[in-house]
Amino acid sequence: MNSYQKIMAGLNVGLLIMLGLIQISVASVVSTGDFNKDFYIMWSPSHVSTSRDGRTRSLKLDQESGSGFSSNQKFLFGQIDMQIKLVPGRSAGTVVAYYLTSDQPNHDELDFEFLGNVVGQPYLLQTNIYINGFDNREERIKLWFDPAKHFHTYSILWNIHQIVFMVDGIPIRVYRNHGEKGVAFPMWRPMSIKASIWNGESWATNGGRDKIDWSKAPFLVSFRNYKIDACLWKGYARFCRVDSPGNWWNNNRFSTLTFRQRNLLKWVRKHHLLYDYCHDYKRFQFKLPKECSLPKY
């Protein structure tokens, strides 16, 4: 091979690598909206019902079983939106979970957990964050609407800067990346999207004192209009971590909340917050986790 051929061969290899890097770095997925194409049933298919067009899916809980589904793909950073209509009537003891998880022994996980209640009491929404298998980061709010009457949108924005839990676009919780200060943050493990309904009567409602009333079964929760705009996992974490046109969520303008979002978050925390692990001095024996003393935005 002469010098010219070597140069051209090198250029071709370089071009292929560059094209591969571009493809991976902008591997953003905007979902099909079809549950049958983007998700599989984790357990109890007899308790899962999907509309003919695949746009709506319901999960059922009865004395026989709960049910759940999971995304076919895994993602590292992005935004996931899901419209959910929760169990109507007496839902005490039931737990509806919508979450991202890495499915590993020392796993990362970002949780929405909807805790059913007795009639007349509000649905409670608990969020939690697992990093390297450790949680103890629960927050709990009461919702300001009836989530069983209509569909509402529940979103997780996860980027290299922060994690933001949102309800109908309103931030209800922020967890910042303070990795440079020794605070754990999920940066490396891709996560799948999961949803389930199950029996949590041992703890979910009034500390487990209000049990499931099985005469009200089956308990149904419905999902629709999901959107997955995230970095599809191809085995290269660094390509999901870059700020590129495809990875819009890593852009600096999504590194913190806007002024309006900060005001909305303050409103939620002032009027609807019920529990924050960062206020639980007794639980942590007055040694709160490090992130509790650091800014949220």
Side-chain angles (χ1 to χ4, degrees), residues 171-243:
I172 63 167
R173 179 176 185 176
V174 178
Y175 184 87
R176 285 204 63 74
N177 183 355
H178 289 296
E180 76 286 354
K181 297 179 181 177
V183 176
F185 190 86
M187 289 287 286
W188 298 99
R189 297 181 179 91
M191 302 196 212
S192 56
I193 307 160
K194 299 184 186 296
S196 60
I197 184 170
W198 46 281
N199 179 353
E201 66 179 3
S202 64
W203 65 276
T205 308
N206 196 18
R209 288 185 286 275
D210 291 314
K211 306 297 185 181
I212 293 179
D213 181 356
W214 292 111
S215 70
K216 307 296 183 184
F219 302 99
L220 300 175
V221 55
S222 298
F223 303 82
R224 73 177 188 186
N225 292 349
Y226 66 87
K227 182 179 180 181
I228 306 169
D229 196 351
C231 187
L232 180 63
W233 178 248
K234 296 288 188 179
Y236 302 95
R238 67 182 184 275
F239 298 117
C240 290
R241 294 171 56 170
V242 299
D243 177 5

Side-chain angles (χ1 to χ4, degrees), residues 26-40 55 57 69-83 98-100 153-158 191-195 224-233 246 248-249:
V26 296
S28 172
V29 172
V30 178
S31 52
T32 66
D34 187 337
F35 283 97
N36 291 321
K37 293 181 179 179
D38 291 332
F39 295 87
Y40 68 91
R55 301 287 166 172
R57 173 165 285 179
F69 59 84
S70 174
S71 61
N72 294 320
Q73 304 289 348
K74 290 192 173 188
F75 309 90
L76 186 66
F77 304 120
Q79 181 165 322
I80 314 299
D81 306 320
M82 182 77 75
Q83 289 191 348
Y98 156 56
Y99 57 107
L100 309 182
T153 303
Y154 303 90
S155 308
I156 299 175
L157 170 65
W158 170 35
M191 302 196 212
S192 56
I193 307 160
K194 299 184 186 296
R224 73 177 188 186
N225 292 349
Y226 66 87
K227 182 179 180 181
I228 306 169
D229 196 351
C231 187
L232 180 63
W233 178 248
W248 59 265
W249 46 84

Side-chain angles (χ1 to χ4, degrees), residues 39 42-43 67-71 80 82 84 96-103 107-114 128 130 156 165 191-198 223:
F39 295 87
M42 289 190 293
W43 84 90
S67 49
F69 59 84
S70 174
S71 61
I80 314 299
M82 182 77 75
I84 307 174
V96 173
Y98 156 56
Y99 57 107
L100 309 182
T101 180
S102 63
D103 289 327
H107 72 296
D108 297 337
E109 187 170 305
L110 310 177
D111 290 342
F112 277 106
E113 291 180 311
F114 303 91
N128 200 359
Y130 288 73
I156 299 175
F165 293 84
M191 302 196 212
S192 56
I193 307 160
K194 299 184 186 296
S196 60
I197 184 170
W198 46 281
F223 303 82

